Amino acid sequence: CSDPSMNNPIMGAALPAFELVAKANWLALKYPLNERGVAIASQIQTHAKLLSSNTPHTSSFSNLPPYLQRRIKESHHLKEIVSNCVWIFMEKLIHPEMSSTCTNIQNLVESTIVLIEKLSLHSPISVICTWPFAILGTFLIHVYQREYLELRISEFDEAVRMKCLSTITHFLS
């Protein structure tokens, strides 16, 4: 594939973001964070922000067949979704007293929902969205956001005929 980030057939461009998920989950086991933990969380946030802003221009793969273009775009959308959720998760670990209504968090929640809207219903990457959907769901403050996320989870679950995503709906209930 002309996009080197797509050399991983499952994770694609989202692989580095899922590596941050692994680090974030490890760090969460150290909660409450000491000074060193806060420094590590801040570094993870920085990397997450860089990943979410590092998306190639669509013209760089416009010569590919449409289905490949869609897969590449969706893989990059997933990278941004996961990176945004890592940033939010680290923010909450660093500042546990911070409300979910915080402007920084809610701006990322809204932009993440917009990215989820860009994923096609039958996107094969939906099966690896459990972690970001669980994190995102815990920061939703509006009913319409929760209803939308639950709808998309249900649609993805039905489309891929796997019930792995429905556990997120149960978790969020």
Side-chain angles (χ1 to χ4, degrees):
C1 181
S2 63
D3 184 351
S5 66
M6 295 300 289
N7 289 333
N8 184 299
I10 306 298
M11 299 283 187
L15 180 61
F18 277 101
E19 289 173 352
L20 290 179
V21 167
K23 293 174 183 177
N25 285 337
W26 171 83
L27 190 59
L29 294 173
K30 310 292 184 191
Y31 184 81
L33 301 181
N34 60 20
E35 196 173 301
R36 184 171 181 267
V38 169
I40 293 169
S42 295
Q43 288 176 339
I44 292 171
Q45 269 189 313
T46 300
H47 289 293
K49 199 59 143 176
L50 287 171
L51 271 179
S52 68
S53 64
N54 186 15
T55 301
H57 194 273
T58 56
S59 65
S60 62
F61 43 83
S62 61
N63 60 333
L64 297 173
Y67 77 94
L68 279 179
Q69 289 181 39
R70 186 181 70 246
R71 284 233 172 126
I72 292 170
K73 286 178 191 174
E74 288 182 343
S75 182
H76 283 283
H77 293 324
L78 181 60
K79 175 185 71 173
E80 291 180 65
I81 290 166
V82 173
S83 296
N84 288 350
C85 291
V86 166
W87 192 94
I88 291 169
F89 187 48
M90 291 297 94
E91 187 70 5
K92 195 64 175 176
L93 284 181
I94 295 169
H95 306 286
E97 72 287 345
M98 181 181 293
S99 169
S100 294
T101 60
C102 172
T103 304
N104 288 343
I105 290 175
Q106 284 307 304
N107 287 342
L108 269 181
V109 164
E110 285 295 330
S111 65
T112 304
I113 289 173
V114 168
L115 290 166
I116 292 170
E117 291 171 353
K118 295 178 180 183
L119 299 178
S120 63
L121 179 61
H122 294 282
S123 177
I125 62 170
S126 64
V127 297
I128 59 173
C129 290
T130 52
W131 189 89
F133 286 177
I135 296 299
L136 182 66
T138 60
F139 289 94
L140 300 177
I141 60 172
H142 301 292
V143 173
Y144 75 89
Q145 293 172 327
R146 183 165 303 281
E147 288 174 349
Y148 177 75
L149 184 62
E150 288 175 358
L151 172 68
R152 286 310 300 256
I153 289 171
S154 172
E155 290 172 343
F156 286 143
D157 235 8
E158 186 63 33
V160 296
R161 304 232 182 260
M162 294 176 67
K163 295 296 177 195
C164 62
L165 289 164
S166 63
T167 58
I168 301 306
T169 306
H170 295 298
F171 167 75
L172 296 173
S173 297

